[in-house]
Amino acid sequence: QVQLVESGGDSVQAGGSLRLSCAASGNMYGVACIGWFRQAPGSAREGVAAISIGDGSTYYADPVKGRFTLSQNNPKKTVYLQMNSLKPEDTAKYYCKIRATPCGNWFRDERFFRDGGPGTQVTVSS
């Protein structure tokens, strides 16, 4: 079973940057896609970005495209979400989840993922 732990969340001013980490432990066999989701207070959880572990293909939701970048360190079983030009509307708790098949254009749908971590809080002030 795979366990995920997110970290790197913080409070920053608008325009600032953060790098979130999603560290996996356990048997990674069958983990082919890691997705990032976020949930703001009073809002539904939404998909932000996803990366296919095998070929490194990345997917980004329109609100973060051009500002957020995914990368991975396979030996460390860690995926990073670099967030630049942060906006107050990026304020949310961020979670990572896994899927056994490569990512696709459905990456924003949380129903395709499982085994999420406890999340890490990102707060962006104006």
Side-chain angles (χ1 to χ4, degrees):
Q1 186 174 352
V2 177
Q3 293 183 325
L4 302 174
V5 177
E6 305 90 342
S7 63
D10 205 343
S11 296
V12 297
Q13 290 192 325
S17 297
L18 285 173
R19 189 177 79 158
L20 304 185
S21 299
C22 173
S25 61
N27 188 355
M28 293 293 286
Y29 178 79
V31 176
C33 171
I34 291 183
W36 281 94
F37 299 82
R38 66 186 182 185
Q39 187 167 22
S43 299
R45 194 175 296 192
E46 62 174 353
V48 174
I51 183 167
S52 288
I53 302 302
D55 65 5
S57 298
T58 54
Y59 301 79
Y60 300 97
D62 286 344
V64 307
K65 204 170 288 185
R67 300 188 297 122
F68 290 12
T69 304
L70 281 164
S71 62
Q72 59 180 328
N73 184 326
N74 287 341
K76 292 186 177 181
K77 296 192 287 187
T78 301
V79 167
Y80 303 100
L81 181 65
Q82 178 67 43
M83 306 190 298
N84 298 329
S85 302
L86 282 163
K87 304 175 181 180
E89 50 263 44
D90 294 319
T91 294
K93 197 164 190 180
Y94 285 71
Y95 304 84
C96 57
K97 305 188 81 171
I98 61 173
R99 178 169 170 84
T101 59
C103 305
N105 291 327
W106 37 260
F107 72 98
R108 300 200 71 183
D109 191 336
E110 191 177 11
R111 294 174 298 174
F112 291 103
F113 293 81
R114 62 178 174 87
D115 295 346
T120 186
Q121 179 67 39
V122 172
T123 303
V124 185
S125 58
S126 57

